[in-house]
Amino acid sequence: MRKIAALLFVVSAFLMNAQQKINETLKKELDEIMRVDQGYRMLFDTGITPEKKEQLLKDLHIDEEEFKKKNWLLVAEHDSLNMQKIEKIIAQYGYPGKTLVGEPTNQAAWYVIQHSTKIGKYLPLIKEAGKKKEIPFTWVAMMEDRYLMYENKEQIYGTQGAGEMTKDKDGKQVFVNFVWPVKDLKNVNKRRKKAGFDSTFEENIKRMYGPDFKFEPYTLKQVVELRNKNK
């Protein structure tokens, strides 16, 4: 009887491991998608050295003259291609989380969706993935904040910043960075802690805009006025 029980345990464990086995083919595809998504954005990092930028262009097979000509349009083109790939993957597998492709590959689909215009379509899927712990809840929070910003609504966790070209009092064109309006700002750090963030709202602002950034709590009305000022 003990031998049978032991055998059943081994078989059960084997089946569980088989079910949880990483899909290496899918993982490889997603790793490449994420490499392109992040690599293209690194090219616009103000802190990147000329040598690192040159190497990135080579690694991504980007012609330097084409990059100078198209600039950010190249990112938009590849974002669109990556989104098409991710939608096919989701249609077949659902969200490719850590059970299916491991970590950090489970970030790939999230990044592509976060950089797309289809957040509203896939946010329920992202929330479900977070509920099942296939992705950290902090990712769910960041995507929800971005969705709310795109909908011109107050964000919840204070993860999103924005910028607008406007004019100063002398009529000179200036670019203004600001934190997108936050709902119930006084309790934002409580919400951030509950969501799993390891930084406060204030620390996150400094990370986004630098240590000298002066925070001004804009309202939605002020944001609209900023956008329309002196246009």
Side-chain angles (χ1 to χ4, degrees), residues 40-64:
Y40 271 80
R41 282 168 170 78
M42 284 178 64
L43 290 169
F44 295 90
D45 187 339
T46 55
I48 192 173
T49 64
E51 295 77 17
K52 176 64 175 176
K53 188 172 184 178
E54 183 180 355
Q55 187 59 52
L56 262 176
L57 288 170
K58 288 181 180 179
D59 292 344
L60 294 168
H61 308 293
I62 302 172
D63 179 76
E64 191 169 351

Side-chain angles (χ1 to χ4, degrees), residues 162-215:
E164 291 290 339
M165 186 64 74
T166 185
K167 294 179 182 179
D168 63 17
K169 62 181 180 179
D170 298 319
K172 182 181 178 181
Q173 288 282 343
V174 292
F175 190 80
V176 179
N177 285 313
F178 56 92
V179 178
W180 189 260
V182 180
K183 183 178 181 179
D184 186 21
L185 182 59
K186 67 179 181 180
N187 289 309
V188 66
N189 281 325
K190 291 180 181 179
R191 296 193 297 273
R192 287 179 65 85
K193 185 176 181 180
K194 186 176 180 180
F197 288 102
D198 58 7
S199 63
T200 64
F201 172 69
E202 293 77 15
E203 290 168 342
N204 189 53
I205 291 173
K206 300 298 183 182
R207 180 189 62 78
M208 287 195 293
Y209 293 124
D212 298 325
F213 179 75
K214 294 181 180 179
F215 170 63

Side-chain angles (χ1 to χ4, degrees), residues 131-142:
K131 185 178 180 181
K132 294 179 178 178
K133 301 190 183 303
E134 291 294 335
I135 58 173
F137 187 78
T138 50
W139 299 2
V140 180
M142 286 187 282

Side-chain angles (χ1 to χ4, degrees), residues 31-195:
D31 283 340
E32 177 59 20
I33 288 172
M34 186 159 60
R35 185 183 76 87
V36 171
D37 178 276
Q38 295 298 288
Y40 271 80
R41 282 168 170 78
M42 284 178 64
L43 290 169
F44 295 90
D45 187 339
T46 55
I48 192 173
T49 64
E51 295 77 17
K52 176 64 175 176
K53 188 172 184 178
E54 183 180 355
Q55 187 59 52
L56 262 176
L57 288 170
K58 288 181 180 179
D59 292 344
L60 294 168
H61 308 293
I62 302 172
D63 179 76
E64 191 169 351
E65 290 304 314
E66 183 185 16
F67 177 73
K68 290 178 181 178
K69 183 179 178 180
K70 289 189 174 181
N71 208 264
W72 191 258
L73 284 176
L74 277 176
V75 180
E77 289 174 3
H78 282 272
D79 280 355
S80 179
L81 291 172
N82 279 343
M83 191 63 208
Q84 291 174 35
K85 295 174 183 176
I86 290 300
E87 289 195 289
K88 289 180 180 178
I89 289 171
I90 288 174
Q92 182 175 355
Y93 299 99
Y95 186 87
K98 68 177 182 179
T99 301
L100 185 63
V101 294
E103 296 176 295
T105 308
N106 61 333
Q107 299 178 41
W110 182 89
Y111 272 120
V112 175
I113 296 170
Q114 182 80 336
H115 295 149
S116 77
T117 58
K118 297 186 176 182
I119 291 177
K121 178 179 179 180
Y122 289 104
L123 184 57
L125 181 73
I126 293 297
K127 287 183 176 181
E128 184 65 21
K131 185 178 180 181
K132 294 179 178 178
K133 301 190 183 303
E134 291 294 335
I135 58 173
F137 187 78
T138 50
W139 299 2
V140 180
M142 286 187 282
M143 188 170 287
E144 184 167 16
D145 270 359
R146 181 160 293 192
Y147 172 72
L148 290 169
M149 180 175 70
Y150 287 167
E151 292 292 305
N152 286 326
K153 297 178 181 179
E154 293 175 312
Q155 60 176 323
I156 299 171
Y157 303 98
T159 65
Q160 302 298 303
E164 291 290 339
M165 186 64 74
T166 185
K167 294 179 182 179
D168 63 17
K169 62 181 180 179
D170 298 319
K172 182 181 178 181
Q173 288 282 343
V174 292
F175 190 80
V176 179
N177 285 313
F178 56 92
V179 178
W180 189 260
V182 180
K183 183 178 181 179
D184 186 21
L185 182 59
K186 67 179 181 180
N187 289 309
V188 66
N189 281 325
K190 291 180 181 179
R191 296 193 297 273
R192 287 179 65 85
K193 185 176 181 180
K194 186 176 180 180

